[in-house]
Amino acid sequence: MSETLITLERVSKVYQVGEENFTALNGVSLEVGKGAFMSFVGPSGSGKTTLLNLIGGLDRPTSGSVLFQGANLENMSREQLAAYRRDNIGFIFQTYNLLPVYSVYENVLFPLILNGLKESQVRERVENMVVKVGLKDQINKKPAQLSGGQCQRVAIARALVKDPLLILADEPTANLDSENSYQVLELMRELNHEYKAAVIFSTHDEKVTRYIRREVRLEDGKVSWDKHRNGSEIET
Amino acid sequence: MIGFLFRGLLRDKSRFLFPFSVVTIGVALVVALVGFMEGVFMGMIDMTANLDSGHLRLVNKAFYDEEHLRPLDRSLASQQETRDWLTKHSAPDVDWSPRIRWGAILDVPDEQGETRSQTPVVGMAMDLQSPDSKEVQRLRLKSSVVEGSLPDKFNEMLMGIQLAEVLEVSVGQTVTLMGQSFDGGLVADNYQVVGLVRFGVTAMDKKMVLIDLASAQNTFYMEDMVTDWLGYFPPSADFDRYEEVKASMNTALVDWMQSPPKDWAKDDFPIVLSIRDHLNIGAIMDKFMTIKGFVVGIFTFLMILVLWNAGILSGIHRYGEMGLRLAFGEPHWKLVMTLAIEGVLIGNLGSLAGSLFGGAFAWTLQEVGLNMGDSFAQTGLMVNDVVRARVTLGGFIQGIVPGIFASVAGTLVASMAIFQRSEANLFRELEAG
């Protein structure tokens, strides 16, 4: 296995819903290597998004540890977690979440601006990334002028432009038709290969599973299987 | 970052135009209203000072206590010695002018020399003929004389235009003043009406008669005597200076009274007053400042309320953007700070626009004025019939500062929700679209 990027050690997450406790994750342990291209699959309520939240530093586990390159996220302050996300994580959402008043170019530029970089320093990098996702002719268009597939390409470029170690993609093809879904997945696979950023999908979409190299199935907050495309399979 | 966000702000009309309009309207109203209030109030102060009270006033206390009776026997002698003392013990920028307040019966004869009409008048005598006197300029007499000319000889008189109309007096006519002399005797002296004056203050136009100081001293047997010394600061002087100089002069007066001018009576004891002491103007000034503060405060509060709601609407409108920025690793405090900076930018732009609109309105009202003579006719107030606003730097500051403050405060109150927003829900919130 490649060098470990993320380590989950007996991670549990319990939410209080009214007077009841709801266990979203129950003792999940797994490792994610650098450059991984994998997905969390499972029915609604199985804990996929909770797992993305914990890995993305958006939430903290009730018990267990989430380690990023050996550093325990539990020990980080809110500010440090924000810096962790800023420096290391790219996000792709089901509904794209592009900023409507900005152009394609500006949407891709946005995370770099948040990271404190000046536009003049990164203009070429942003333009190259837009070209890379096939939107050269749309670079000055606003999101409202783009198709769903094009919007998701912008979101991919936005996630990748800061050269993160990890991209968390929550249902990225859920709003796309088949053709656009395949194009987006193909693009993500190419970029994963080129940029070496690990990509973790959370998805119901079976089309995604054809592209990924590892599939972690969650059921009732537990890993029910962890299947690698190289043939190895761990069923729990 | 700020430039990038500002670019978005300008493009997003829904989150820019509304708060910008609120600040613009609020600031414009405050600037115009403060300009109008200050114009009316300061107009009244200036008019009162120029015609009646000065900014500072040296008067014999005995005269002051009974001045409604015009007790000329309590006038102050030794003009030159008094002027020297005033010049030395006030401030270098204060100009002192001697005046005599007098009252008399004005008799208008017919062609046979019999009384045609008669009325009591209040009069002011001032130095209208010395080349270095500023009284003519101060009262804008040259432009106020609507018929005739200014006195340039002994026993010539200027009369309020409405008084002249009531008495059917025309320029060139001789009238008789009958009153009491300095030493209590009856005096009667003829004056020629050489000019009719429209002071622009109804109370003055109906009652006032002006004569030269030297003529008054001759008529009332008041050689080298005056009832008042009025001191005038330049227009830029702050109200506070009036009180400071008044206090220091009253202190110096105690020493002066150890060796007063030899022509003063033994019981003469002058006092120094400021315009605040005149006709309860101090209390009016205090109330004016309170009302002005109240008006500015109310507008600021209303602006904050509206901008707070605008901020909440904007927060809802930009819910996805805020979530995205938090997810991408922007700390809560930085997010709020950038919103506050947006508030400052909107506040500045709105204040600038509001200042232009409000300032233009106030300036127009300052130059053109609003004739309210009919309303003031029966009040007896010493207010110019043409009400004018006054464009001042202070008026702009009182509009701009609350405008910017309201914009930032409204944004900050609205952005409190950002601190309560949990990152743990961001995926769910952002997926909800």
Side-chain angles (χ1 to χ4, degrees), chain B residues 140-159:
Chain B
R140 294 195 287 269
L141 285 177
K142 277 184 180 161
S143 58
S144 302
V145 173
V146 292
E147 196 180 333
S149 60
L150 295 176
D152 60 0
K153 298 188 190 73
F154 242 55
N155 284 29
E156 291 185 337
M157 174 185 283
L158 290 173
M159 185 177 284

Side-chain angles (χ1 to χ4, degrees), chain B residues 364-408:
Chain B
T364 305
L365 209 51
Q366 174 181 278
E367 298 302 312
V368 178
L370 185 66
N371 194 334
M372 296 181 70
D374 292 343
S375 309
F376 293 151
Q378 304 303 321
T379 64
L381 286 172
M382 207 165 281
V383 184
N384 200 314
D385 291 350
V386 179
V387 173
R388 293 177 190 278
R390 186 168 290 201
V391 180
T392 61
L393 180 64
F396 283 112
I397 291 171
Q398 284 168 66
I400 289 170
V401 171
I404 296 172
F405 172 74
S407 180
V408 177

Side-chain angles (χ1 to χ4, degrees), chain A residues 36-57:
Chain A
F37 198 66
M38 61 181 288
S39 70
F40 296 142
V41 296
S44 293
S46 60
K48 302 186 300 290
T49 302
T50 303
L51 208 45
L52 287 191
N53 272 338
L54 296 176
I55 292 171

Side-chain angles (χ1 to χ4, degrees), chain A:
Chain A
M1 188 167 178
S2 62
E3 196 181 337
T4 302
L5 185 68
I6 299 283
T7 306
L8 296 151
E9 294 174 345
R10 295 182 298 284
V11 170
S12 295
K13 181 68 186 178
V14 179
Y15 293 107
Q16 188 146 12
V17 183
E19 292 181 358
E20 301 288 314
N21 284 336
F22 172 72
T23 303
L25 290 175
N26 189 1
V28 172
S29 295
L30 57 87
E31 290 187 347
V32 177
K34 282 188 176 172
F37 198 66
M38 61 181 288
S39 70
F40 296 142
V41 296
S44 293
S46 60
K48 302 186 300 290
T49 302
T50 303
L51 208 45
L52 287 191
N53 272 338
L54 296 176
I55 292 171
L58 295 169
D59 205 356
R60 297 173 191 271
T62 309
S63 64
S65 303
V66 180
L67 307 172
F68 181 84
Q69 293 188 316
N72 194 339
L73 302 190
E74 180 67 18
N75 298 332
M76 293 184 185
S77 66
R78 201 179 188 186
E79 293 283 299
Q80 287 170 323
L81 282 176
Y84 157 72
R85 290 196 299 277
R86 204 162 57 234
D87 296 339
N88 302 299
I89 314 286
F91 289 93
I92 298 172
F93 302 94
Q94 177 184 332
T95 49
Y96 329 126
N97 283 302
L98 302 179
L99 302 177
V101 294
Y102 292 109
S103 66
V104 167
Y105 167 82
E106 288 165 332
N107 267 282
V108 178
L109 172 68
F110 184 54
L112 299 176
I113 296 285
L114 277 184
N115 280 19
L117 297 169
K118 288 189 175 152
E119 186 178 348
S120 56
Q121 295 174 306
V122 295
R123 181 171 288 121
E124 199 177 337
R125 181 167 152 193
V126 173
E127 286 169 351
N128 288 340
M129 186 53 72
V130 174
V131 171
K132 194 83 75 179
V133 297
L135 294 173
K136 185 182 174 187
D137 294 338
Q138 280 75 32
I139 194 162
N140 292 318
K141 287 185 177 172
K142 300 279 171 58
Q145 298 170 285
L146 304 177
S147 69
Q150 288 173 323
C151 283
Q152 200 59 295
R153 284 165 180 266
V154 179
I156 292 166
R158 183 179 64 185
L160 268 171
V161 75
K162 63 181 182 182
D163 208 9
L165 288 168
L166 175 63
I167 290 176
L168 300 176
D170 195 18
E171 307 277 8
T173 56
N175 280 10
L176 302 178
D177 59 25
S178 293
E179 190 183 338
N180 273 309
S181 294
Y182 284 126
Q183 285 177 2
V184 163
L185 289 166
E186 189 63 44
L187 175 67
M188 290 185 75
R189 185 162 65 179
E190 285 171 18
L191 295 173
N192 165 256
H193 184 71
E194 185 178 344
Y195 287 89
K196 309 297 182 200
V199 179
I200 302 177
F201 295 93
S202 152
T203 186
H204 291 97
D205 190 350
E206 287 189 1
K207 292 189 286 299
V208 175
T209 59
R210 293 183 205 170
Y211 280 83
I212 45 91
R213 294 195 292 270
R214 181 184 174 193
E215 181 179 325
V216 175
R217 177 166 288 278
L218 293 165
E219 282 177 16
D220 298 329
K222 292 181 179 175
V223 176
S224 61
W225 88 52
D226 184 353
K227 185 175 169 183
H228 291 252
R229 275 285 152 83
N230 60 10
S232 63
E233 184 176 324
I234 304 164
E235 196 161 352
T236 53

Side-chain angles (χ1 to χ4, degrees), chain B residues 181-354:
Chain B
S181 69
F182 164 73
D183 51 11
L186 179 69
V187 295
D189 207 355
N190 287 338
Y191 277 78
Q192 186 179 22
V193 178
V194 294
L196 305 182
V197 184
R198 190 184 302 282
F199 293 100
V201 179
T202 302
M204 306 284 290
D205 289 341
K206 286 170 87 170
K207 295 176 186 169
M208 182 58 93
V209 170
L210 294 183
I211 56 178
D212 182 60
L213 189 73
S215 298
Q217 287 173 330
N218 182 56
T219 296
F220 298 109
Y221 298 97
M222 293 175 64
E223 190 182 351
D224 199 28
M225 302 186 89
V226 297
T227 60
D228 294 69
W229 284 91
L230 303 186
Y232 291 93
F233 284 92
S236 57
D238 193 80
F239 284 146
D240 294 340
R241 279 199 66 214
Y242 302 178
E243 294 303 305
E244 285 167 19
V245 176
K246 170 190 143 183
S248 73
M249 288 181 74
N250 276 319
T251 306
L253 264 175
V254 177
D255 293 336
W256 195 26
M257 292 315 293
Q258 303 300 315
S259 55
K262 61 180 172 46
D263 288 339
W264 282 13
K266 282 182 185 167
D267 55 352
D268 281 346
F269 195 100
I271 52 173
V272 178
L273 306 165
S274 81
I275 192 169
R276 284 182 61 90
D277 305 312
H278 187 76
L279 296 174
N280 212 25
I281 281 178
I284 297 172
M285 282 167 86
D286 292 340
K287 279 178 188 153
F288 170 76
M289 298 306 282
T290 305
I291 291 168
K292 197 170 74 168
F294 203 60
V295 167
V296 172
I298 285 175
F299 273 94
T300 307
F301 179 68
L302 289 176
M303 275 196 284
I304 289 175
L305 271 187
V306 177
L307 290 168
W308 169 21
N309 282 283
I312 289 172
L313 287 174
S314 172
I316 293 168
H317 178 65
R318 298 168 71 189
Y319 201 70
E321 179 197 327
M322 301 300 161
L324 202 63
R325 287 165 66 174
L326 290 172
F328 282 8
E330 186 170 13
H332 288 66
W333 67 266
K334 201 171 172 189
L335 187 53
V336 170
M337 193 181 76
T338 56
L339 289 176
I341 291 170
E342 281 183 17
V344 171
L345 290 170
I346 290 175
N348 274 301
L349 288 175
S351 295
L352 183 67

